[in-house]
Amino acid sequence: MIPVAAVENQTIAVLGLGRSGRATAAALREGGATVIAWDDSADTRAAAQAEGWTLSDLTRDKAWETRIDALITSPGIPHLYPAPHPAIAQALARGVPVDNDIGLFFRSFAAEGFDAFDTPPRVICVTGSNGKSTTTALIHHILQSAGRPTQMGGNIGTGVLSLGPPADGEVVVLELSSYQTDLARALTPDVAVFTNLSPDHLDRHNGMGGYFAAKRRLFAEGGPDRCVIGVDEAEGRYLANQLGQGPQDDRVIRVSVDAKLDGFGWAVSAKKGFLSEWRKGRQVASIDLRGMTGLPGAHNHQNACAAYAACRAVGLAPREIEAAFHDFAGLPHRSQTVATIGGVRWVNDSKATNVDAAEKALLAFDNIRWIAGGLAKEGGIAALVPHLGRVAKAYLIGHSARDFALQLGGTPHEVVDRMETAVARAAAEARPGDTVLLAPACASFDQYPNFEKRGEHFTALVRAIEAAQG
């Protein structure tokens, strides 16, 4: 646990008592604060009360009659758009500072013992629309493989205030969502990574401008020593331009899978499966990514470039990074190879919950037996039509199945509704060299509580086929 600094004898309200909320409350109490808490769920409140937390309905005026020095909110709770949560509206009306666990982490991370360390601990933060979880996990894996002390948390794994106190030379790697960067009052990473930007969470940020602004705060207000910026979208190019003092400023490391970047002070790019590092117009390293099963496709090559750049920024050598690439298994539900059965590759990309992520998954493979569908987002799958030549057949499940069938044109397809049927039909029809790809391009909430459960169901069905075939 990282105790929150500078809260002694203060009364701090905590809104939201999920995993991060309870960890935040504990870290505040450890720092000497009096904590009052609230959650909209009666079941969650009952569990928190059983653990000894003091509850007060922060949506009511009465809770604010005694002094509250700050309100700490969980990331899933709206603080501005589409409308502030009533408890946050109370704090805003009274001028009570609103923060989140990320802000508390950054103001509490540097402990008194840092001066005695030979190498001060550092923090790498990763944000973006797609690929940030894989990039975060890959950075952490590379650091571990190189023998560097490291912890991982934030939007992946452990809540930031549940991390252990940092050790000499340690690198803490955090995945940060736009919800987290939007509100944090302190953001001071040593290295900040921006993977890419595509439409997501637009209701929460009142459009693309607000969404990009939330991501940008990590860089513009965080003042990192090094910035790793994906420049394959206009927003990334704009961000890199704002942060640098010219093309040769190597405090900005540009990353691309679309363009050669040899005209900049520091850049990492991947073309046709080869990663290249360029410094001041000279290529200094190259890695063949094509045979790395944990990093299939151009989107994962972009993740590899970003992770490579971040690790180079904290002093790792190219050969250390390349060695770690080879044994990176990937993350569950993100282009995860579950099994190869009879020459057929089975890939779980349940995290492909939007069209942009599904497009990247389709571009990573050939001869695809595509399982798609669920609770569709606006626009359906029309944007994927140019890539359907890679699809041998689509198996459509869930609420959107029949709507998707109308958008597939001449691509062979079958409306099967359930995952069990889709997997069975794909298994019966696939031939050696095919890839059965779960990339739904949809939310899961029509049939599953989340994308993880959907991916776990797919994986269990594939494992049953594997076991049956011995």
Side-chain angles (χ1 to χ4, degrees):
M1 179 188 297
I2 297 177
V4 178
V7 293
E8 296 88 349
N9 303 314
Q10 293 186 14
T11 298
I12 310 291
V14 174
L15 177 63
L17 292 169
R19 176 176 62 93
S20 66
R22 292 196 305 276
T24 298
L28 285 163
R29 186 167 61 187
E30 187 70 15
T34 297
V35 176
I36 60 173
W38 186 251
D39 194 285
D40 291 337
S41 165
D43 290 343
T44 303
R45 292 198 302 270
Q49 198 161 30
E51 293 176 5
W53 295 107
T54 299
L55 300 180
S56 183
D57 187 348
L58 297 169
T59 68
R60 307 282 185 179
D61 290 340
K62 184 174 177 59
W64 298 85
E65 290 176 357
T66 57
R67 175 175 174 174
I68 294 177
D69 295 287
L71 172 66
I72 311 302
T73 181
S74 293
I77 300 172
H79 59 270
L80 185 55
Y81 300 113
H85 184 279
I88 295 176
Q90 290 273 10
L92 298 176
R94 289 169 166 78
V96 174
V98 180
D99 204 348
N100 61 18
D101 61 338
I102 303 301
L104 298 182
F105 168 85
F106 277 111
R107 84 182 205 195
S108 308
F109 177 70
E112 293 179 3
F114 271 34
D115 291 342
F117 289 154
D118 292 332
T119 304
R122 285 182 282 184
V123 180
I124 298 174
C125 291
V126 180
T127 195
S129 296
N130 295 309
K132 59 184 179 292
S133 293
T134 296
T135 301
T136 302
L138 181 55
I139 294 169
H140 180 61
H141 172 74
I142 294 166
L143 291 163
Q144 284 183 316
S145 297
R148 296 283 291 272
T150 179
Q151 298 184 74
M152 179 177 70
N155 202 46
I156 183 174
T158 305
V160 290
L161 294 173
S162 294
L163 295 169
D168 193 343
E170 185 167 65
V171 180
V172 176
V173 190
L174 303 179
E175 178 193 339
L176 299 184
S177 72
S178 58
Y179 295 175
Q180 293 170 310
T181 58
D182 196 20
L183 187 62
R185 296 170 72 91
L187 287 167
T188 54
D190 297 282
V191 178
V193 179
F194 176 87
T195 58
N196 50 58
L197 197 77
S198 61
D200 210 357
H201 311 303
L202 299 189
D203 59 334
R204 179 69 179 268
H205 297 294
N206 200 33
M208 278 293 284
Y211 180 46
F212 176 53
K215 302 286 189 186
R216 181 181 176 276
R217 288 192 74 241
L218 181 66
F219 303 84
E221 300 186 29
D225 297 329
R226 284 277 193 276
C227 300
V228 177
I229 310 292
V231 294
D232 288 336
E233 293 88 27
E235 292 87 355
R237 293 189 289 274
Y238 172 80
L239 182 59
N241 183 274
Q242 280 208 316
L243 296 170
Q245 294 300 315
Q248 295 306 309
D249 187 347
D250 65 3
R251 293 173 301 174
V252 177
I253 309 174
R254 288 168 170 83
V255 165
S256 176
V257 292
D258 288 345
K260 187 177 180 181
L261 300 174
D262 54 353
F264 295 95
W266 199 349
V268 181
S269 60
K271 295 290 287 183
K272 297 182 179 179
F274 286 88
L275 180 152
S276 299
E277 178 186 3
W278 291 81
R279 301 289 295 270
K280 300 187 184 305
R282 185 171 67 90
Q283 185 174 343
V284 298
S286 178
I287 298 174
D288 185 353
L289 301 172
R290 293 173 299 172
M292 298 178 183
T293 57
L295 296 166
H299 63 302
N300 274 308
H301 294 173
Q302 183 185 57
N303 299 334
C305 288
Y308 177 97
C311 290
R312 290 287 281 143
V314 295
L316 269 63
R319 65 182 181 278
E320 295 178 292
I321 301 171
E322 181 175 7
F325 279 169
H326 281 284
D327 59 9
F328 179 65
L331 286 180
H333 319 301
R334 296 163 175 87
S335 293
Q336 174 197 19
T337 296
V338 175
T340 299
I341 306 169
V344 177
R345 185 176 184 178
W346 294 79
V347 177
N348 167 19
D349 203 344
S350 184
K351 184 62 171 65
T353 58
N354 57 43
V355 166
D356 185 69
E359 176 185 6
K360 290 177 169 62
L362 289 173
L363 288 172
F365 306 100
D366 293 306
N367 304 321
I368 298 169
R369 303 275 171 177
W370 180 29
I371 300 175
L375 192 60
K377 298 184 178 181
E378 186 176 351
I381 56 170
L384 298 177
V385 170
H387 311 298
L388 295 180
R390 295 172 173 268
V391 176
K393 184 175 179 179
Y395 306 86
L396 304 174
I397 64 172
H399 182 271
S400 66
R402 286 157 182 81
D403 290 337
F404 278 15
L406 297 175
Q407 296 177 294
L408 286 174
T411 301
H413 61 273
E414 184 176 351
V415 174
V416 295
D417 290 327
R418 312 291 303 178
M419 183 73 76
E420 295 90 340
T421 310
V423 168
R425 296 289 295 154
E429 297 177 354
R431 298 293 177 262
D434 287 356
T435 295
V436 181
L437 172 67
L438 171 65
C442 284
S444 59
F445 306 126
D446 57 334
Q447 294 180 325
Y448 301 93
N450 49 52
F451 74 83
E452 291 95 342
K453 293 298 183 185
R454 176 171 61 191
E456 289 167 7
H457 188 201
F458 172 80
T459 298
L461 293 167
V462 175
R463 295 289 188 214
I465 293 171
E466 187 177 36
Q469 295 191 11

Coordinates of all heavy atoms in Angstrom, one line a residue, residues 229 231-232 236-238 240-242 244-256 259-269 276-284:
I229 N 5.0 9.0 -28.5 CA 3.8 9.4 -29.2 C 3.5 8.6 -30.5 O 4.3 8.7 -31.4 CB 3.8 10.9 -29.5 CG1 4.2 11.7 -28.3 CG2 2.4 11.3 -30.0 CD1 3.2 11.7 -27.1
V231 N 2.1 8.5 -33.9 CA 1.8 9.6 -34.8 C 1.1 9.2 -36.1 O 1.1 9.8 -37.1 CB 3.1 10.4 -35.2 CG1 3.7 11.0 -33.9 CG2 4.1 9.4 -35.8
D232 N 0.3 8.0 -36.0 CA -0.4 7.6 -37.2 C -1.8 8.2 -37.3 O -2.5 8.0 -38.3 CB -0.5 6.1 -37.2 CG 0.8 5.4 -37.5 OD1 1.7 6.1 -38.1 OD2 1.0 4.2 -37.1
G236 N -2.1 12.5 -32.7 CA -0.8 12.2 -32.2 C 0.3 13.1 -32.8 O 1.2 13.5 -32.2
R237 N 0.1 13.4 -34.1 CA 1.1 14.3 -34.8 C 1.0 15.7 -34.1 O 2.0 16.3 -33.9 CB 0.8 14.4 -36.3 CG 1.1 13.0 -37.0 CD 1.1 13.2 -38.5 NE -0.3 13.4 -39.0 CZ -1.1 12.4 -39.3 NH1 -0.8 11.1 -39.1 NH2 -2.3 12.6 -39.8
Y238 N -0.2 16.1 -33.8 CA -0.4 17.4 -33.2 C 0.2 17.4 -31.8 O 0.9 18.4 -31.4 CB -1.9 17.7 -33.1 CG -2.3 18.9 -32.3 CD1 -2.2 20.2 -32.8 CD2 -2.7 18.8 -31.0 CE1 -2.5 21.3 -32.1 CE2 -3.1 19.9 -30.2 CZ -3.0 21.2 -30.8 OH -3.3 22.3 -30.1
A240 N 2.7 15.5 -30.6 CA 4.1 15.4 -30.7 C 4.7 16.8 -31.1 O 5.7 17.2 -30.6 CB 4.5 14.4 -31.8
N241 N 4.0 17.5 -32.0 CA 4.4 18.8 -32.4 C 4.4 19.8 -31.3 O 5.3 20.7 -31.1 CB 3.5 19.3 -33.6 CG 3.9 20.6 -34.1 OD1 3.6 21.7 -33.6 ND2 4.7 20.6 -35.2
Q242 N 3.3 19.7 -30.4 CA 3.2 20.6 -29.3 C 4.3 20.4 -28.2 O 4.8 21.3 -27.6 CB 1.9 20.5 -28.6 CG 0.7 21.2 -29.4 CD -0.4 21.6 -28.4 OE1 -0.8 20.8 -27.5 NE2 -0.8 22.8 -28.5
G244 N 7.4 19.0 -28.6 CA 8.8 19.1 -29.1 C 9.2 20.5 -29.5 O 8.3 21.3 -29.8
Q245 N 10.5 20.8 -29.4 CA 11.0 22.1 -29.9 C 11.5 22.0 -31.3 O 12.4 22.8 -31.6 CB 12.1 22.5 -28.9 CG 11.6 22.8 -27.5 CD 10.5 23.9 -27.4 OE1 10.7 24.9 -28.1 NE2 9.4 23.6 -26.7
G246 N 11.1 21.1 -32.1 CA 11.5 20.9 -33.4 C 11.7 19.4 -33.7 O 11.7 18.6 -32.8
P247 N 11.9 19.0 -35.0 CA 12.0 17.6 -35.3 C 13.1 16.9 -34.7 O 13.1 15.7 -34.5 CB 12.1 17.6 -36.8 CG 12.6 19.0 -37.2 CD 12.0 19.9 -36.1
Q248 N 14.2 17.6 -34.3 CA 15.4 16.9 -33.7 C 15.3 16.8 -32.2 O 16.3 16.3 -31.6 CB 16.7 17.6 -34.1 CG 16.9 17.5 -35.6 CD 16.9 16.1 -36.2 OE1 17.6 15.2 -35.6 NE2 16.1 15.9 -37.2
D249 N 14.2 17.3 -31.6 CA 14.1 17.2 -30.1 C 13.8 15.8 -29.7 O 12.7 15.2 -29.9 CB 13.0 18.1 -29.7 CG 12.8 18.2 -28.2 OD1 13.5 17.4 -27.4 OD2 12.1 19.1 -27.7
D250 N 14.8 15.1 -29.1 CA 14.7 13.7 -28.8 C 14.0 13.4 -27.5 O 13.9 12.3 -27.0 CB 16.0 13.0 -28.9 CG 17.0 13.4 -27.8 OD1 16.7 14.3 -27.0 OD2 18.1 12.9 -27.8
R251 N 13.4 14.4 -26.9 CA 12.5 14.2 -25.7 C 11.2 13.6 -26.2 O 10.5 13.0 -25.4 CB 12.3 15.5 -24.9 CG 13.5 16.1 -24.3 CD 13.3 17.4 -23.7 NE 12.8 18.4 -24.7 CZ 12.4 19.6 -24.4 NH1 12.4 20.0 -23.2 NH2 12.1 20.4 -25.4
V252 N 10.9 13.8 -27.4 CA 9.7 13.2 -28.0 C 10.2 12.0 -28.9 O 10.9 12.2 -29.9 CB 8.9 14.2 -28.9 CG1 7.7 13.5 -29.5 CG2 8.4 15.4 -28.0
I253 N 9.7 10.8 -28.6 CA 10.0 9.6 -29.4 C 8.7 9.3 -30.3 O 7.7 8.9 -29.7 CB 10.4 8.4 -28.6 CG1 11.5 8.8 -27.6 CG2 10.8 7.3 -29.5 CD1 11.9 7.7 -26.6
R254 N 8.8 9.5 -31.5 CA 7.6 9.2 -32.4 C 7.6 7.8 -32.8 O 8.6 7.1 -33.0 CB 7.7 10.1 -33.7 CG 7.4 11.6 -33.4 CD 7.8 12.4 -34.6 NE 7.3 13.8 -34.5 CZ 8.0 14.8 -33.8 NH1 9.1 14.5 -33.2 NH2 7.5 16.0 -33.7
V255 N 6.3 7.2 -32.9 CA 6.1 5.8 -33.1 C 5.1 5.7 -34.3 O 4.1 6.4 -34.3 CB 5.6 5.1 -31.9 CG1 5.0 3.7 -32.3 CG2 6.6 4.9 -30.8
S256 N 5.4 4.8 -35.3 CA 4.5 4.7 -36.4 C 4.6 3.3 -37.0 O 5.7 2.6 -36.9 CB 4.9 5.7 -37.5 OG 4.0 5.5 -38.7
A259 N 4.5 5.0 -41.4 CA 5.5 5.8 -42.1 C 6.9 5.6 -41.5 O 7.1 5.2 -40.4 CB 5.2 7.3 -41.9
K260 N 7.9 5.8 -42.4 CA 9.3 5.8 -42.0 C 9.6 7.1 -41.3 O 9.3 8.2 -41.8 CB 10.2 5.5 -43.2 CG 11.7 5.3 -42.9 CD 12.4 5.1 -44.2 CE 13.9 4.8 -43.9 NZ 14.7 4.6 -45.2
L261 N 10.3 7.1 -40.2 CA 10.4 8.3 -39.4 C 11.9 8.6 -39.2 O 12.4 8.9 -38.1 CB 9.8 8.1 -38.0 CG 8.3 7.9 -38.0 CD1 7.8 7.6 -36.6 CD2 7.5 9.0 -38.6
D262 N 12.7 8.6 -40.3 CA 14.1 8.8 -40.1 C 14.6 10.2 -40.1 O 15.8 10.5 -40.0 CB 14.9 8.0 -41.3 CG 14.4 8.4 -42.6 OD1 13.4 9.2 -42.7 OD2 15.0 8.0 -43.6
G263 N 13.6 11.1 -40.2 CA 14.0 12.6 -40.2 C 13.8 13.2 -38.8 O 13.9 14.5 -38.7
F264 N 13.6 12.4 -37.8 CA 13.4 13.0 -36.4 C 14.6 12.6 -35.5 O 15.4 11.7 -35.8 CB 12.1 12.5 -35.8 CG 10.9 13.0 -36.6 CD1 10.4 12.2 -37.6 CD2 10.4 14.2 -36.4 CE1 9.3 12.6 -38.3 CE2 9.3 14.7 -37.1 CZ 8.7 13.9 -38.1
G265 N 14.7 13.3 -34.4 CA 15.7 13.1 -33.4 C 15.7 11.7 -32.8 O 16.7 11.1 -32.6
W266 N 14.5 11.2 -32.6 CA 14.3 9.8 -32.0 C 13.0 9.3 -32.5 O 12.0 9.9 -32.3 CB 14.4 9.8 -30.5 CG 14.7 8.5 -29.9 CD1 14.8 7.3 -30.5 CD2 15.1 8.3 -28.5 NE1 15.1 6.3 -29.5 CE2 15.3 6.9 -28.3 CE3 15.2 9.1 -27.4 CZ2 15.7 6.3 -27.1 CZ3 15.6 8.6 -26.2 CH2 15.8 7.2 -26.0
A267 N 13.0 8.1 -33.1 CA 11.8 7.5 -33.6 C 11.9 6.0 -33.7 O 13.0 5.5 -33.8 CB 11.4 8.1 -35.0
V268 N 10.7 5.3 -33.6 CA 10.7 3.9 -33.7 C 9.5 3.6 -34.6 O 8.4 4.0 -34.4 CB 10.5 3.2 -32.3 CG1 10.4 1.7 -32.5 CG2 11.5 3.6 -31.3
S269 N 9.7 2.8 -35.7 CA 8.7 2.4 -36.6 C 8.7 1.0 -36.9 O 9.8 0.3 -36.7 CB 8.8 3.3 -37.9 OG 10.0 3.1 -38.5
S276 N 12.3 -0.8 -36.4 CA 13.5 0.0 -36.6 C 13.6 1.2 -35.6 O 12.6 1.9 -35.5 CB 13.7 0.5 -38.0 OG 13.7 -0.5 -39.0
E277 N 14.7 1.4 -35.0 CA 14.9 2.5 -34.1 C 15.9 3.5 -34.9 O 16.9 3.1 -35.4 CB 15.5 2.1 -32.8 CG 15.8 3.3 -31.9 CD 16.6 3.0 -30.6 OE1 16.9 1.8 -30.5 OE2 16.8 3.9 -29.8
W278 N 15.5 4.8 -34.9 CA 16.3 5.8 -35.6 C 16.6 6.9 -34.6 O 15.8 7.3 -33.8 CB 15.5 6.4 -36.8 CG 15.2 5.5 -37.9 CD1 14.3 4.5 -38.0 CD2 16.0 5.4 -39.1 NE1 14.4 3.8 -39.2 CE2 15.5 4.3 -39.9 CE3 17.1 6.1 -39.6 CZ2 16.0 4.0 -41.1 CZ3 17.6 5.8 -40.8 CH2 17.1 4.7 -41.6
R279 N 17.9 7.2 -34.6 CA 18.4 8.4 -33.8 C 19.2 9.3 -34.6 O 20.2 8.9 -35.3 CB 19.3 7.8 -32.7 CG 18.7 6.8 -31.7 CD 17.7 7.4 -30.8 NE 18.3 8.4 -29.8 CZ 18.8 8.0 -28.6 NH1 18.8 6.8 -28.2 NH2 19.2 9.0 -27.8
K280 N 18.7 10.5 -34.7 CA 19.3 11.6 -35.5 C 19.7 11.2 -36.9 O 20.9 11.4 -37.3 CB 20.5 12.1 -34.7 CG 20.2 12.7 -33.3 CD 21.3 13.3 -32.6 CE 21.0 13.7 -31.2 NZ 19.8 14.6 -31.1
G281 N 18.8 10.6 -37.6 CA 19.0 10.2 -39.0 C 19.7 8.9 -39.2 O 19.9 8.5 -40.4
R282 N 20.0 8.2 -38.1 CA 20.8 6.9 -38.3 C 20.0 5.8 -37.6 O 19.5 5.9 -36.5 CB 22.1 7.1 -37.6 CG 23.1 5.9 -37.8 CD 24.5 6.2 -37.3 NE 24.5 6.4 -35.9 CZ 24.7 5.4 -35.0 NH1 25.0 4.2 -35.4 NH2 24.8 5.7 -33.7
Q283 N 19.9 4.7 -38.4 CA 19.3 3.5 -37.8 C 20.2 2.8 -36.8 O 21.3 2.5 -37.2 CB 18.8 2.5 -38.9 CG 18.1 1.3 -38.3 CD 17.5 0.4 -39.4 OE1 17.5 0.8 -40.6 NE2 17.2 -0.8 -39.0
V284 N 19.7 2.6 -35.6 CA 20.6 2.1 -34.5 C 20.2 0.7 -34.1 O 20.9 0.0 -33.4 CB 20.7 3.0 -33.3 CG1 21.3 4.3 -33.7 CG2 19.3 3.2 -32.7

